[in-house]
Amino acid sequence: LQVVPRTGYRHDTYSDGETGIAIPVLMASVSRERIIDLLVDLLDPLGAEVDVVLETSHHTRGEGHEDHYRESIELPILKSVLYEFEEMLIDDGCTGVAVLNPQIPMEVQFDEHKIFTLYGQDLDLFERVFDSHGVTCSEDIKFITEAEHVHSSTDTFAELFDQLRFRLGIDN
């Protein structure tokens, strides 16, 4: 394998091409048994009410992905729905979710590669969550996006994505 999956996180930087602004980033991966619990705990620093973006490449024929946006959902409700759709979120290679609070410049992404990407000027709160889950910093960690890979899904996961979108109150 070009990249051997392992648990850990590293620091990175996202540079906005238009503004030139550099935003600190944490990238992480964990084993499947720990994904959903880590995801919901990483949402806590975002506050009691958040916006959610569901990402899908189910019907894009390999040409990027579609975003479905929902503003203002209470965090406990979102967490409950994420737990309800745990299997699909973990196993579907065409589904991702991003959660943000526009009032706080921070974002949590859990992409279709099952990688966590956390954006914000102050990432200490996220690092504390990683510590509480036993996820350690490893600046040399590599992710599947840095090697050749394929995305897989099923018709069942595509239908579950639509159910998830409906449960979150997101229109087409």
Side-chain angles (χ1 to χ4, degrees), residues 57 92-95 111-114 144-145 149-153:
S57 58
D92 184 21
C94 292
T95 294
D111 69 15
E112 56 194 11
H113 303 97
K114 310 315 163 198
I144 194 67
T145 53
H149 63 280
V150 295
H151 295 253
S152 64
S153 187

Side-chain angles (χ1 to χ4, degrees), residues 40-104:
V40 298
D41 287 351
L42 285 168
L43 301 180
D44 288 336
L46 300 178
E49 196 167 291
V50 296
D51 294 357
V52 62
V53 182
L54 294 181
E55 302 169 348
T56 180
S57 58
H58 284 113
H59 307 292
T60 62
R61 301 179 194 265
E63 298 173 18
H65 66 266
E66 299 172 352
D67 290 340
H68 300 272
Y69 198 89
R70 155 84 192 261
E71 292 181 0
S72 188
I73 186 169
E74 292 177 13
L75 189 56
I77 293 169
L78 175 60
K79 286 181 175 186
S80 176
V81 173
L82 293 176
Y83 273 118
E84 186 178 337
F85 288 86
E86 176 179 2
E87 180 183 350
M88 190 255 321
L89 289 169
I90 292 172
D91 292 334
D92 184 21
C94 292
T95 294
V97 61
V99 182
L100 59 135
N101 182 336
Q103 306 305 315
I104 303 172

